[in-house]
Amino acid sequence: MLNDKIILLVEDNPDDVELTLRAFKKSNLMNEVIVKRDGAEALDFFFGKDGVADKGNNGLPAVILLDLKLPKIDGLEVLKKLRADERTKLIPTVILTSSKEQNDVVNGYKSGCNSYIRKPVDFNRFAEAVRQMGLYWLVLNEATPKSRGL
Amino acid sequence: MTRQRGLPGDASKPAFVFALIFFVLAAGILIAGWFSYRKSAQHFRAEVERELSAIAELKVGELVLWRQERLADGGIMFKNATLSALVRRVVEKPADADAQRKLQNWFGKYEAHYQYDEVRLLDTQGVTRLSAPAGLPAVTAEVVEHAAEASRSGQVTIQDFYRSTHDQQIRLAVLIPILDEADGNRPLGVLVLCIDPAKYLYPFIQRWPTPSATAETLLVRREGNEAVFLNELRFQTNTALNLRSPLDRVTMPAVQAALGREGIMEGVDYRGVPVMAALRTVPDSPWALVARIDAEEVYAPLHTQLWQVIVMVGVLLFSAGAGVGLVWRQQRVRFYRKEAESAEELKASEELFRTVSLSVTDIVYEWDLKETLIWYGNIDGIMGYPPQGFPRTLGGWATTLHPEDKERVWKAVEGQLKGATPYALEYRIRNKNGEWRWWSARGTALRDGRGEPYKWIGAISDITEHKQEEQTLLKSRKAALNIMTDAVEARDRAEQMSKALRLKNLVFDASIAANSIADMNGNITEANEAFLRVWGYPSKDEVIGKPLLHFVNDYNDAVAIVTALNSTGQWEGDYLAKRKDGSTFVAYGLATTIKDEKGTVIGYQSAVMDVTGQRDAEKELKKHRDHLEQLIAERTEDLKKSEERFRTVADFTYDWEYWADAQRRLLYISPSCERITGYTQEEFYKYPTLIDTIVHPDDLGVFQAHVDDYHIGTKRTDSTDWSFRIIDSRGNMHWIGHVCRPITGEDGTYKGRRVSNRDITEGKKAEMAIQGFNESLRRNNAELQALNSELEGFAYSVSHDLRAPLRTIDGFSHALLEDYEDKLGVQGKDYLRRVRASTQRMAQLIDDILKLSRITRSEMNIEKVNLTQIAWSIIDELQKSQPERLINIKIAEGLEDTADPRLMRVALENLLGNAWKFTGKQSEAVIEFGSTKEGEKKVYFIRDNGAGFDMAYADKLFAPFQRLHTTEEYAGTGIGLATVQRIARRHGGKAWAEGQVDKGATFYFSLQ
C-alpha cells in the first residue's frame, strides 16, 4: 500500500520541518514521516541499538529526504554511510537543501544520492517540488528488487 | 712326401646340394616375378580400358545432348505461327519486302547468337529464298534432298556431315519444315540452320580430358561398304569425309565401330599403328565414336614395371646365389684351415732341407738353442783343427769369438730369437794358429705353430781375404782424395783473388766520386767515369798523362795538397778545381799516397766530389739563420714594449684584476685591489694567502672549492660568474662579482687563471631590497588568497543560511494566507503578499550576489570562441521565452576571439538580455551585435533602440545593484552589467556604455 511507506526527513531547522510536512499534506501524501534532527540521530535510526536496518523491509523508509547542512554529522557523511552498508544502500535518497553550489551537487551525486532538490524560497514552488518528488519516489518508482521479494 | 692336394671327398657333396638349392630358389623367384608382372599388367589394362570406356561414354553422352539441343533450336521455329505466317508471305508474295525484312532480321539473330553460320529458307522446290548472311548461293543438292524428306515427314531433322558445294566447307544442318497450319499443314518450305563443326563440334571431339601424347576420339559413319571418318584427325589432316576405309579391314577400330560394335578392342588404326580403342555408337544418329590411344603409350608404364620386375628378380637371384655361395665358402674355409695346420709341419722340414742345399763354400750349422752345435761342411779344416777339433758346444765356440765382437753377436742372436731383427753380421773367430779370421754369418730361428722358436739354422763363410782387400783399397782412395782437395783449394784461392781485384776495379769505375790515380811525378795514370763527368772531359785519353796541376785552378792549392801528401801521406779539404772549358767548381777531395810492399811511395790516388751546390746552400742557410736572429731580437724588443703597454693598461683597470699561474703563484695583481680591499699590491705579493683571509668566512668554502676546481681542472668552465663577500682592511663588507678564465698555452696546456673582481655591493643591496619586496608581495598574495577563500565561505553561508529564514517567512506567510484567509481581511492579505514579494526579491538578490562572486572566482579556460554562434543561441532562447515579440536582430558574421566560452556566454546573456528587456516597449525593436575598432583594439558592441539611459549615470551602470529604472518599469536586480564588467576585466579588457534616454543604448566591451 502506498501509504504504508515511511518517509525519513533529516532536517535540523524546525521551520523547514514544519513547511515540508505542510507541503506533503498539500500534496496529499499521507505517509508516516519520521523526522531526525541531525546526522547522528539519522544514523542511529538505522544502525543504533534498536536500529531499523536489521528489521528488514518493514522498518526501512521508502525514501529519505536529507538536508546537507546538519549538526554533528553532515548530510554527505550520512549518505556515504548509508551507501556503504549492504542493508541500506538501495534506499532512494533525495538531497533537499538550500545550497546550489556546484560542489555540493557534484558531491551529492558522487556519494550516491538519487535526486538533488534545491529548496526554493517561494513556498508554492517548494510544495510543487516536494509533490513531484513524492510522486516519483513513492508512487511511480518501483520498489527495489529486494523489497519486492518479501 | 706325398699327400692328396685336391678337395676331400666329403667336401664335393655339399657343393652339389648347394647348386640344387640355388636352382630351386631361382625357379621360385622367376615364377613369382612372372606372376607379379602378369597380375599388375592385367590390373593396369583393366584400368586403361575403364578410362577409355569412361571417356567414350562421356563424349557420347555429350554428343547426344548436343544433337538434342540442335533439335530443340529447330523446335522453337517449328510450328511457330508467326514464323510460318512470315514464311508464307515471303514464299507466296516475293514482293513483300516487309516480311522479308522481318524474316531476315530473325535469321540474323540466329546467325549472330547461335553457332549457326548459315540460315536459309528453302521453298518447296529447294530454292534458297532468303538467307543470312544475305545472298548465299544455292544450297548443296544433298540438303535439298533431305529438305524434301523433312517436308514430307513434317519432322525437324539433322542433316549429317556434308560438304557444301558452294564453299567446300563441311557442315551439318538442322532442317525445320515450315507448315501452313491454316491450310491443313501444307508445307511452305524448309528452314535450314547450317552448323560449322569446326566451331564447336570438332574441338569438342578432339578434346581429351587427361594429358596424353597419342589419345584422340574420332567419329565415323558407315556409307555402303566403307567407314567414313567425319572429323579432322590428330595425326592426319584433311580427313573429314575424305578418309574412308573398306569394311573388310576388321582390325581397324573405326571399321568395327562403323559396323556397330561396342566395347574395347585392340587393333591397328588409320596410321597402321597398334592401338587400344573403346567403341560406342551414338544413339539416334548415324555416328559411331572411337576413343583410341596408341598401344605404345598404354604399355609404356607397363614396360617400366617389367623392368622393375626384372631388376627385382635379378637382385633376388643374385642375393640367393650369394647366400648359397657364402654358406658353401664357409664350409670350404673350415676344411682348408685343417689342411693348413698339417702343412705347417711339412714346411719346417722343407726349410731345413733348403738350407742344407746352399753353396758348398758356406758352412751350415744347426743349434738346438741350448748347448749343442752341429756343423755341416769342413769347419775343422778351414779353422786348422783336426777333424772334430773345432768346438761342438756353444760355450766352446764362444771362446773362439773376438772379445770386441761378443756383445754384438749376442745382441743379434737375441734379436732374431725374439723375432724382431734378421740375423746377419760379420765377426772375428780365432783359428788354431791364433790368427783372427773374419766371418760373415746369417741365421734364422725355426718356429712352431705358436710362433715359439725351437731350433736355429745358420750359415757362415770366411771373408777374411775380402776384408783385407777392402782395407787396402780404402787407404789408396784416401791418399788420392787428399791430393785432389789440395788442388781444389788452391784453385779457389786464386779465383777469390782475381775476383777481389775485379771488384776493386769495379768499385773504382762505378764510384760516384771522381776517382783518379797519379804516378810519382803527379801525372794521371787512371781516372773513372765520374772524374770525366765532373771535369767535363769526353774521353779518358785527354786525361791520362796530364799533370795534376792541370786540373786545379790555383797553383798554390796544388802545391799545398802535394806537400801535405808527401809529409803526412794524406790530404782532405776543399779547393777550387778547373774544368776542361776553364770554368771552376768547389771540389771536396780526399787524397792518399800509394805505397808498395816495402813502403816506398809509388803514386797518389784521390777521390773528389763537386760540392759547389752544397757550399752555396750552406751559405744560404747561414744567411737565413742570421736574419732569424735579428727578427727574434726585434720581437723581443716589441714584446718588452707591449708588456709595458699591458702593464700600463692593467695598472689602470677599475676592477681588481689578478693573474695566478698553474702553481697558484700570484703573477700580477692590479693596483685597484687597494680601492676595493684596502690592501696594496705589495701586500698581496708578499702574503700569498691574503685573499683567503679577507674572504667572508661564510663564503670561504665555496671560494676555495672554486679555486681548487679551477687549478686541478675538475671544473674549468671558460667563464664563471658568481659572487662572494670580502671584509676589507677597514672591516667593511663588500660584495664581489667574480669572473675568471683559464689561460692556456698554444699547445693547450693550462697556464693558470685570470681573475676579474668587481665591487657589486651597491647592486647587491638593490637586489636584496627587491627580494624583500618580492617577499612582502608573496605574503600579501597569501593574505589575499586567504581572504578570497574566506569570501567563498561567506558566499556559501549566504546562499544557505540567509535563504533559510526567507523560506520560513515566505512559507508561513503562505500558510497564514491559506489557513486564516477569512480572518485576515483584504488589507491583511495585501500586507502578507508584500512580505512574500520582498522575501522573493531578497532571495533573487542573494542568488545574484553569488553569481557575481562566482564569476570573479571561477577559473578561466581560454580557448577559441565563436561569439556569433553564442549570440544566436541566446537570441533563440529569448525568442522561445517570448515568442510573441518581433525584433529585428542583426548579428555580425564570424565574430571570433580567444576567451573563456562560459564567461562570454554569461556576458552576452546579460547584454542581449538587457537589450531584449529594454526594447520591450518599442514597437519596432532593433538589436545589433557586432565589432568595431578603437585604435588597434577590437571592440564588441550591442546596440538597441530601447529605453536608453542618461549619460550622466553611465559610470554607475556597471556598479552592482545599481539600477536606473524601477523594478516596476523593468524587472531586474542590477547585477547584470556588473557581471559583464567583471568578465571583461578578467579577460584584460573593459566594458562601457553610451546611450540617450528613449533613444537606445550601446554597450561596448573589449577583451585583452
Side-chain angles (χ1 to χ4, degrees), chain A residues 13 15-16 18-19 22 26 67 69 97-99 101 104 118-124, chain B residues 796 799-801 803-804 806-808 810-812 814-815 818-819 836 840 843 847 854:
Chain A
N13 185 339
D15 291 345
D16 276 355
E18 189 62 37
L19 287 170
R22 187 181 166 83
K26 295 283 287 184
D67 190 12
K69 268 188 106 183
T97 177
S98 342
S99 167
E101 281 291 302
D104 286 340
R118 194 200 180 204
K119 291 182 222 168
V121 168
D122 184 342
F123 180 77
N124 286 334
Chain B
Y796 184 81
S799 93
H800 196 273
D801 297 348
R803 283 166 62 90
L806 284 178
R807 212 165 36 247
T808 308
D810 185 73
F812 288 107
H814 186 267
E818 270 188 353
D819 297 358
R836 290 194 66 204
Q840 271 152 35
D847 280 354
R854 226 175 272 134

Side-chain angles (χ1 to χ4, degrees), chain B residues 166-185:
Chain B
H166 66 277
D167 59 1
Q168 294 303 307
Q169 283 271 1
I170 291 177
R171 288 196 173 81
L172 290 90
V174 182
L175 305 176
I176 308 149
I178 305 296
L179 307 172
D180 188 354
E181 282 174 54
D183 191 6
N185 281 347

Side-chain angles (χ1 to χ4, degrees), chain B residues 88 91-92 124 151 178-189:
Chain B
R88 195 178 55 231
V91 173
E92 291 175 357
T124 45
S151 211
I178 305 296
L179 307 172
D180 188 354
E181 282 174 54
D183 191 6
N185 281 347
R186 180 173 59 93
L188 291 170

Side-chain angles (χ1 to χ4, degrees), chain B residues 861-874:
Chain B
N861 188 15
I862 302 296
E863 56 189 63
K864 199 158 202 155
V865 181
N866 186 337
L867 295 174
T868 304
Q869 207 178 330
I870 293 176
W872 274 118
S873 82
I874 292 165

Side-chain angles (χ1 to χ4, degrees), chain B residues 874-886:
Chain B
I874 292 165
I875 293 292
D876 281 351
E877 277 165 33
L878 290 168
Q879 190 70 66
K880 263 179 214 157
S881 67
Q882 280 181 294
E884 73 282 359
R885 287 195 60 186
L886 279 170

Side-chain angles (χ1 to χ4, degrees), chain B residues 719-776:
Chain B
S719 170
T720 56
D721 193 351
W722 57 287
S723 54
F724 60 93
R725 288 163 291 176
I726 60 158
I727 311 291
D728 71 10
S729 60
R730 292 167 295 276
N732 298 321
M733 195 187 81
H734 294 261
W735 276 99
I736 302 296
H738 177 91
V739 180
C740 64
R741 283 196 177 78
I743 297 160
T744 48
E746 275 171 16
D747 53 351
T749 54
Y750 178 63
K751 295 228 188 273
R753 58 192 270 273
R754 198 181 75 80
V755 180
S756 179
N757 287 333
R758 176 167 293 184
D759 190 340
I760 55 163
T761 311
E762 292 309 315
K764 207 73 186 173
K765 274 182 192 158
E767 190 183 299
M768 269 146 77
I770 288 169
Q771 259 173 18
F773 181 69
N774 279 345
E775 186 57 33
S776 75

